[in-house]
Amino acid sequence: MPNVTLILRLAQLLQKRCFLLFLAILALMVALPFLSGTPQGRVIGNLCNLIVLVTAVAAVGRSVPSFVIALLLALPQLPFQLLALKSGEPGYFALTWGFGAAFYAFALVHLLHYVLRKDRLTSDKLYGAVAAYMMIAILWAFLYGVLQYFYPGAYSLGGTPKTLDMGELIYFSFSVLTTSGFGDITPMLIQSRFLAVLEQVTGVMYVAILIARLTGVYPIVGTNPDEH
């Protein structure tokens, strides 16, 4: 009986795919600053990213076609990541980030369709909403990485032009998405500046749409629910 109970609880946990995705992204964000300094750390960081990819594929793969497409976009990142770490060739990093951006864009479309559709709001959907917000930042980090490959000198760190690594790109992306604007990393070219503007607009629109969705689920006290 204890084994049956454990299996049932594990099955219930696996059904909370958005919650697992949220945990995987959170673990990646916590671990990344401590893993990017050494080659071994980068390998572990890539393993953490692999866990995020697996949970994201599980979260958005609610039909066979979506599962297959997500898998096809996720798989090429692994060999390109290994080649990039082994050779240090910027082109391999650009390919990794390009496939990463395509995967996260696809995953976001399907995740938002699940989170924002008008049916019963569950705790798993709320975790999916938070995960989607974090995935927007990671998507833009990949886009920033691709852009700096084609436009060298697109960003500066402390006033000095620099090719940013993934940890720095994610940090910069979150500061843009949340409009924190610390100013230590600066977009230097018109292309990188307007890409940052697009992320700021996306972040504001996402929060507004999510609030509207929650308002529709939880009507204001004193109003007639039938009017919504």
Side-chain angles (χ1 to χ4, degrees):
M1 289 299 293
N3 291 335
V4 174
T5 304
L6 181 62
I7 293 174
L8 290 175
R9 289 182 177 178
L10 181 60
Q12 291 175 351
L13 179 62
L14 292 176
Q15 289 178 354
K16 299 179 180 179
R17 291 178 282 185
C18 290
F19 175 66
L20 295 176
L21 174 60
F22 166 74
L23 288 182
I25 296 175
L26 187 62
L28 176 65
M29 299 300 299
V30 172
L32 193 60
F34 305 99
L35 299 175
S36 58
T38 63
Q40 296 83 359
R42 293 190 185 98
V43 172
I44 297 173
N46 284 327
L47 291 176
C48 293
N49 185 57
L50 175 61
I51 295 174
V52 173
L53 295 178
V54 170
T55 54
V57 169
V60 303
R62 298 176 183 272
S63 65
V64 174
S66 63
F67 179 84
V68 172
I69 294 174
L71 202 60
L72 291 176
L73 291 174
L75 286 178
Q77 296 180 60
L78 305 179
F80 287 133
Q81 281 180 345
L82 295 175
L83 289 171
L85 291 174
K86 184 177 180 179
S87 66
E89 176 63 36
Y92 288 129
F93 283 105
L95 285 170
T96 300
W97 295 337
F99 275 103
F103 171 79
Y104 272 87
F106 178 82
L108 268 169
V109 169
H110 284 74
L111 186 59
L112 291 176
H113 179 265
Y114 166 68
V115 169
L116 298 177
R117 69 186 181 190
K118 293 184 178 181
D119 58 6
R120 188 170 64 90
L121 186 65
T122 63
S123 60
D124 194 51
K125 280 192 175 186
L126 290 177
Y127 281 113
V130 178
Y133 188 73
M134 300 170 74
M135 288 175 68
I136 290 173
I138 299 175
L139 164 62
W140 247 264
F142 282 127
L143 294 176
Y144 292 141
V146 174
L147 186 139
Q148 73 176 356
Y149 173 76
F150 290 102
Y151 296 92
Y155 304 97
S156 68
L157 177 61
T160 303
K162 184 180 186 297
T163 299
L164 304 178
D165 61 29
M166 182 47 62
E168 292 166 334
L169 289 169
I170 291 179
Y171 163 76
F172 173 67
S173 182
F174 269 96
S175 68
V176 173
L177 183 66
T178 58
T179 64
S180 301
F182 296 113
D184 48 352
I185 299 178
T186 308
M188 301 300 294
L189 304 179
I190 189 65
Q191 292 85 0
S192 53
R193 289 171 179 170
F194 269 81
L195 187 58
V197 169
L198 287 175
E199 183 178 16
Q200 290 174 325
V201 173
T202 301
V204 172
M205 289 180 60
Y206 177 79
V207 173
I209 293 172
L210 183 61
I211 291 175
R213 169 74 175 100
L214 294 177
T215 303
V217 172
Y218 301 110
I220 299 173
V221 176
T223 61
N224 185 358
D226 295 334
E227 295 177 358
H228 294 271

